[in-house]
Amino acid sequence: MLFWAITGLLTLVVVAALARALMRGGEDARPPAAYDLAVYRDQLKEVTRDLERGVISAADAERTQTEVSRRILAADAAQKRHEDTTKQGRGAPVVVGVTALVLAVGAFAMYSELGAPGYGDLALADRIESARILRAERPNQASAEASVPAAPVPDASPDYAALVVQLRNAVQTRPNDLQGFTLLSQAEARLGNFAAAHAAKATVISLKGQDVSATDYSEHADLMILSAGGYVSPEAEAVLEQALALNPGDGPSRYYFGLMMAQTGRPDTALRIWDQLLREGPPDAPWISPVSAQIDDMAERAGVDYARPAIGTGRGPTAADIDAASDMSPAERMQMIQGMVEGLSERLATDGGPAEEWAQLISALGVLGEFERSRAIFENAKQVFAEDPGAMDILNNVADRVGLE
């Protein structure tokens, strides 16, 4: 109430100042033409007296009276114009009232939409801490799924629906059937049963053991997020981290990780992640479209005057690299990761790069088991980004995942 009382008082002060400026207009001031009229009338009287005393001739008196009368007519017209203006100015209270109403209602509506009555501006450290708490205390996967309204069932032929039912029954009797659970996860997803689909995908990951890939984790997280209506739960975040640990360049996982940061009060971090995805491309990557649709709004939320980069002009793992990695054996994948790590390390040492790339290097070194080197890179990155709280948040998060802190 105190806030609105002060706001109302300030509004009245502004309206009063505006009213004074509009209504001053000289209502009590005598116009110059009125003084002129008084002078000219006195002159006429003086001419009449001079004529009666014989001081001036009749012809001179007539000539003087004509000239003074002409001046009286001009002064009278000027006075009437002033009176008309004054009458128009008497409508100023209406103008003031309408203006005050528009200003007050408009300001209230704008502040109600953009402001937070009763709350002061938060310092950067406070906003980061608030986002950390929001991230730590957000709803879990089960709560999110329970809150999502039932989606309409996609059209499916009776034969297809019957086959899915048979598949569900079959895997119950064959709990180690990797192919069966893989097909079941895909079938449930086609029917829109994303909760059942991600449960089947979790079984697929468990059955694959050491052969599990970043793509498996990424697909699992995707199904979890779809079942939660687009919400990235703590459980989905953990799956994303497993995908990024195996492949720091995994596009879908990085997109969803950025979405999670946006949902937990860190649009600045989401913007940096998505901006890097746009720079890396390729233009036909499936995550480019959702990033492009949301990144301008994310920049506005982050308070950044953002200009989109050309898609695919940055550096990072290509789509071919990602596809090749999904088909490799664990040993081949590890060898590929080592090659990417060395290339990234050399480039950051010579050219530098954004915090996301330093985080990729730290994470990849952790995957390779080179924890001392990962820690050294982390310490170096902290010196580089010491003045950038957002970058430090990215680095600290990856250090937590790797186990450096």
Side-chain angles (χ1 to χ4, degrees), residues 173-254:
T173 60
R174 298 197 296 270
N176 297 321
D177 185 356
L178 176 60
Q179 184 177 7
F181 278 102
T182 300
L183 293 174
L184 179 61
S185 178
Q186 296 169 354
E188 296 286 16
R190 291 193 187 99
L191 292 177
N193 300 327
F194 297 115
H198 79 69
K201 188 66 178 182
T203 303
V204 169
I205 291 174
S206 177
L207 292 174
K208 281 193 172 184
Q210 294 298 320
D211 293 329
V212 68
S213 68
T215 301
D216 289 321
Y217 284 120
S218 179
E219 291 174 351
H220 186 201
D222 179 57
L223 293 170
M224 295 177 72
I225 294 166
L226 289 173
S227 70
Y231 166 71
V232 186
S233 67
E235 294 88 343
E237 179 188 350
V239 176
L240 291 172
E241 290 176 346
Q242 290 174 302
L244 292 171
L246 290 177
N247 179 13
D250 185 74
S253 297
R254 292 163 66 194

Side-chain angles (χ1 to χ4, degrees), residues 35-45 68 71-72 75:
Y35 292 103
D36 293 341
L37 279 173
V39 172
Y40 297 148
R41 290 188 179 113
D42 288 343
Q43 287 179 344
L44 281 178
K45 294 177 182 178
V68 172
R71 294 179 181 180
I72 288 175

Side-chain angles (χ1 to χ4, degrees), residues 370-382:
E370 300 183 23
F371 294 104
E372 291 303 320
R373 187 178 174 194
S374 179
R375 185 182 301 278
I377 297 295
F378 175 55
E379 295 298 329
N380 189 12
K382 288 199 296 185

Side-chain angles (χ1 to χ4, degrees), residues 36-391:
D36 293 341
L37 279 173
V39 172
Y40 297 148
R41 290 188 179 113
D42 288 343
Q43 287 179 344
L44 281 178
K45 294 177 182 178
E46 186 67 25
V47 170
T48 301
R49 286 194 295 269
D50 288 345
L51 179 62
E52 291 174 351
R53 292 199 306 267
V55 176
I56 59 175
S57 65
D60 290 338
E62 182 180 0
R63 197 165 44 250
T64 302
Q65 288 173 341
T66 301
E67 175 62 23
V68 172
S69 297
R70 185 185 64 78
R71 294 179 181 180
I72 288 175
L73 290 174
D76 185 62
Q79 184 174 14
K80 287 182 178 180
R81 286 195 298 271
H82 175 79
E83 291 174 352
D84 291 340
T85 302
T86 302
K87 289 178 181 179
Q88 292 176 1
R90 288 171 186 165
V94 177
V95 176
V96 171
V98 173
T99 303
L101 182 63
V102 171
L103 286 175
V105 173
F108 177 79
M110 182 178 293
Y111 188 80
S112 297
E113 179 68 21
L114 302 177
Y119 291 89
D121 189 24
L122 291 177
L124 178 59
D126 293 331
R127 292 198 297 270
I128 292 174
E129 177 63 15
S130 177
R132 186 194 65 78
I133 295 173
L134 176 62
R135 181 177 175 183
E137 298 180 354
R138 69 192 194 275
N140 60 20
Q141 182 72 24
S143 299
E145 290 180 2
S147 66
V148 175
V153 179
D155 293 334
S157 67
D159 292 340
Y160 182 78
L163 287 174
V164 174
V165 172
Q166 293 177 13
L167 184 57
R168 291 170 186 161
N169 295 331
V171 297
Q172 288 181 358
T173 60
R174 298 197 296 270
N176 297 321
D177 185 356
L178 176 60
Q179 184 177 7
F181 278 102
T182 300
L183 293 174
L184 179 61
S185 178
Q186 296 169 354
E188 296 286 16
R190 291 193 187 99
L191 292 177
N193 300 327
F194 297 115
H198 79 69
K201 188 66 178 182
T203 303
V204 169
I205 291 174
S206 177
L207 292 174
K208 281 193 172 184
Q210 294 298 320
D211 293 329
V212 68
S213 68
T215 301
D216 289 321
Y217 284 120
S218 179
E219 291 174 351
H220 186 201
D222 179 57
L223 293 170
M224 295 177 72
I225 294 166
L226 289 173
S227 70
Y231 166 71
V232 186
S233 67
E235 294 88 343
E237 179 188 350
V239 176
L240 291 172
E241 290 176 346
Q242 290 174 302
L244 292 171
L246 290 177
N247 179 13
D250 185 74
S253 297
R254 292 163 66 194
Y255 163 71
Y256 279 129
F257 201 84
L259 181 63
M260 182 273 296
M261 298 303 292
Q263 292 174 351
T264 54
R266 291 306 304 269
D268 55 327
T269 303
L271 176 64
R272 282 191 289 271
I273 294 173
W274 287 356
D275 175 76
Q276 189 63 27
L277 284 174
L278 290 182
R279 293 178 189 277
E280 293 176 7
D284 60 349
W287 53 86
I288 294 298
S289 178
V291 167
S292 298
Q294 302 174 78
I295 196 166
D296 290 333
D297 177 65
M298 201 57 55
E300 183 177 353
R301 288 176 54 192
V304 174
D305 186 9
Y306 180 68
R308 292 193 186 191
I311 298 175
T313 57
R315 292 171 290 188
T318 65
D321 293 334
I322 295 171
D323 291 339
S326 64
D327 296 331
M328 291 178 178
S329 67
E332 290 172 332
R333 191 181 305 114
M334 188 63 67
Q335 184 177 5
M336 178 182 176
I337 292 175
Q338 288 176 332
M340 293 174 62
V341 166
E342 294 305 323
L344 180 59
S345 178
E346 291 179 5
R347 178 163 59 79
L348 291 179
T350 56
D351 301 335
E356 289 78 9
E357 292 190 349
W358 287 82
Q360 289 178 22
L361 179 58
I362 293 167
S363 177
L365 289 171
V367 172
L368 295 174
E370 300 183 23
F371 294 104
E372 291 303 320
R373 187 178 174 194
S374 179
R375 185 182 301 278
I377 297 295
F378 175 55
E379 295 298 329
N380 189 12
K382 288 199 296 185
Q383 296 177 4
V384 173
F385 296 101
E387 303 300 324
D388 187 342

